[in-house]
Amino acid sequence: MFEDDDARDYQVVINDEEQYSIWPVGRELPPGWRAQGPAGTKAICLSHIDELWVDMRPRSLRLSTAEDTVARSAGRMSVRGPA
């Protein structure tokens, strides 16, 4: 979408699912996205995202997975009792 070697500044953006991206500074953000983090070169923005975004799963999936894990643990405890 945007050239790899362009000289424009970008803004780190995030959506409600806590997925990160970059967007050109001065352009209106798409619906559902908000500025989060630094603005600067593409390299600066991507480096910031690389440091923060360690779990690529959308927020809703992470929460669902965590709830399933808790439910399974609670189910095992009721069958076997506390350890």
Side-chain angles (χ1 to χ4, degrees), residues 2-75:
F2 306 116
E3 299 299 319
D4 286 340
D5 59 354
D6 64 32
R8 72 180 98 195
D9 282 337
Y10 290 88
Q11 171 70 56
V12 174
V13 295
I14 190 170
N15 65 17
D16 291 338
E17 286 288 337
E18 297 179 355
Q19 297 169 308
Y20 288 87
S21 190
I22 59 173
W23 198 252
V25 168
R27 287 190 57 184
E28 184 177 345
L29 293 176
W33 292 85
R34 64 188 183 281
Q36 172 91 19
T41 65
K42 183 182 281 187
I44 288 169
C45 293
L46 292 176
S47 177
H48 180 76
I49 291 171
D50 191 46
E51 290 175 20
L52 293 178
W53 199 12
V54 295
D55 187 342
M56 302 296 276
R57 297 175 298 163
R59 181 178 187 270
S60 58
L61 179 59
R62 291 192 318 267
L63 292 176
S64 175
T65 302
E67 290 170 1
D68 289 347
T69 300
V70 169
R72 282 194 306 272
S73 294

Side-chain angles (χ1 to χ4, degrees), residues 73-83:
S73 294
R76 282 193 291 255
M77 286 183 62
S78 64
V79 172
R80 296 188 294 170

